[in-house]
Amino acid sequence: MKIAAVVAAAGLLGAAGLVSRSFYHADDVKPISTITSFSATDSAASRSATRGAINSADKNTTFVTVKINGDSRVVLGEKANMTTVKDVLETGDITLDPDDAVSPSLKSKVTEATVVTINRADADVETNDTEIAFNEVRKETSSLPKGQEKVETEGQKGIMETTSLIKRAGDKVISSNVFASWVKKAPVDKVILVGTGSTKSSSSADLGTTVPAGEVQSWAHQYLLDNGYSEADFTAANYIINHESGWSPTATNPTSGAYGLGQAYPGSKMASAGADWQTNYKTQFKWFISYCEQRYGGIVAAYNYWIAHNNY
């Protein structure tokens, strides 16, 4: 009788558009695998139809709906063996990969109203743009009365383009690995002329005083002043780094692989300034200063070279 009832239930499930596997072995009438099925819907009506089919077969049988990346599957099995999400997945022979996201948790209790959701992790290459702040540079000029100010150049934000390999499970980001990050558009400083009222012309070497923008620049500015450098040195350093990396310590040139604030090539050169050169902006900035001193004789000299050659 039990075998006949199960066969009848399988027929009802088949009529409802569900695919099933054998539930009992014909010889010893013992369960060897569970009936599993797939459905394009997950409505209360479809669950009711499934419950009706099961009732006509065996009241000890239950079911739970499992959605995998949006596709619904109904897992059937004995009530005693289907009490938690983990039981449901084992009964339905559903294997989770390490990065898959499952809800509710594996230890959660289930009923026939439970819908277990599994989002398989998937990796995509994504490119996005972020803004680079512009700085305010104040320059003295004898062409204006003392104390009078005039905006010579309006500031414009720059754009940093970053390409990453993003691995997601549903809406959850499992991992994100940046493999290219470069200055798509360098910021334009806001230049303010400040009148001196003096007939004495300003030095051509006077680059003005740059107001730091953000924590990294503020630290670099203070570090230079504390070590005997001038405001002009910071203005020069800020200009170079804004154009090279947008002050991102993980900036990576997609073509050459140059890395970090000053775009060292290879990036491992910066190990001379510290073992944490890959992530520490302080270590990278100290290396940048040393590089400018050794190759050009100073930061302002490196700036002058950059202006003439668009690199340094």
Side-chain angles (χ1 to χ4, degrees):
M1 291 295 292
K2 190 171 187 178
I3 297 176
V6 172
V7 171
L12 288 171
L13 291 172
L18 306 175
V19 180
S20 65
R21 294 187 296 176
S22 61
F23 190 43
Y24 291 102
H25 193 282
D27 295 332
D28 52 14
V29 199
K30 291 182 180 180
I32 60 170
S33 63
T34 60
I35 299 175
T36 60
S37 55
F38 290 86
S39 173
T41 62
D42 180 37
S43 65
S46 65
R47 290 198 296 271
S48 177
T50 304
R51 177 70 266 168
I54 293 172
N55 284 340
S56 68
D58 188 351
K59 292 184 179 180
N60 291 321
T61 302
T62 188
F63 74 95
V64 174
T65 302
V66 179
K67 277 189 173 182
I68 303 176
N69 283 2
D71 293 327
S72 292
R73 170 180 179 177
V74 178
V75 177
L76 287 83
E78 291 189 354
K79 289 182 179 179
N81 298 327
M82 293 252 293
T83 61
T84 67
V85 171
K86 184 174 183 291
D87 294 338
V88 172
L89 301 187
E90 289 179 349
T91 300
D93 196 23
I94 299 171
T95 303
L96 292 176
D97 292 329
D99 292 331
D100 290 348
V102 59
S103 177
S105 66
L106 293 177
K107 294 182 180 180
S108 298
K109 298 294 184 181
V110 297
T111 68
E112 291 181 353
T114 301
V115 177
V116 178
T117 301
I118 298 173
N119 288 306
R120 300 289 193 190
D122 193 18
D124 293 302
V125 175
E126 297 184 7
T127 299
N128 60 75
D129 293 339
T130 54
E131 292 182 343
I132 304 173
F134 64 81
N135 292 85
E136 181 181 293
V137 180
R138 302 175 69 83
K139 292 184 177 181
E140 292 185 342
T141 177
S142 60
S143 63
L144 293 174
K146 186 175 182 179
Q148 183 174 327
E149 296 184 359
K150 178 182 178 182
V151 176
E152 182 182 52
T153 307
E154 290 290 352
Q156 296 179 27
K157 293 179 179 179
I159 299 173
M160 173 73 77
E161 181 179 287
T162 301
T163 303
S164 307
L165 183 66
I166 309 292
K167 197 170 189 180
R168 286 189 175 88
D171 294 330
K172 182 181 179 182
V173 175
I174 303 299
S175 63
S176 177
N177 297 300
V178 175
F179 56 84
S181 183
W182 62 289
V183 178
K184 186 176 182 179
K185 176 187 175 185
V188 176
D189 291 333
K190 180 177 182 178
V191 179
I192 300 176
L193 300 178
V194 181
T196 62
S198 171
T199 56
K200 182 180 178 180
S201 60
S202 300
S203 169
S204 60
D206 182 14
L207 301 180
T209 301
T210 298
V211 180
E215 177 185 348
V216 178
Q217 288 187 23
S218 294
W219 177 87
H221 177 254
Q222 192 60 50
Y223 179 83
L224 287 175
L225 297 184
D226 289 346
N227 286 275
Y229 290 89
S230 67
E231 291 287 355
D233 286 314
F234 176 70
T235 295
N238 181 68
Y239 185 92
I240 294 172
I241 294 176
N242 253 340
H243 284 72
E244 291 289 335
S245 67
W247 286 92
S248 170
T250 57
T252 307
N253 187 292
T255 304
S256 68
Y259 186 82
L261 297 184
Q263 290 292 276
Y265 178 75
S268 57
K269 278 185 177 181
M270 295 185 288
S272 61
D276 56 355
W277 62 270
Q278 289 179 297
T279 56
N280 194 327
Y281 65 82
K282 296 179 181 180
T283 298
Q284 293 185 9
F285 188 71
K286 291 174 183 177
W287 177 87
F288 166 78
I289 295 171
S290 176
Y291 174 78
C292 290
E293 293 284 0
Q294 292 176 18
R295 180 157 185 172
Y296 301 102
I299 303 174
V300 172
Y303 162 84
N304 290 331
Y305 185 92
W306 203 104
I307 294 297
H309 300 87
N310 209 38
N311 63 63
Y312 79 119

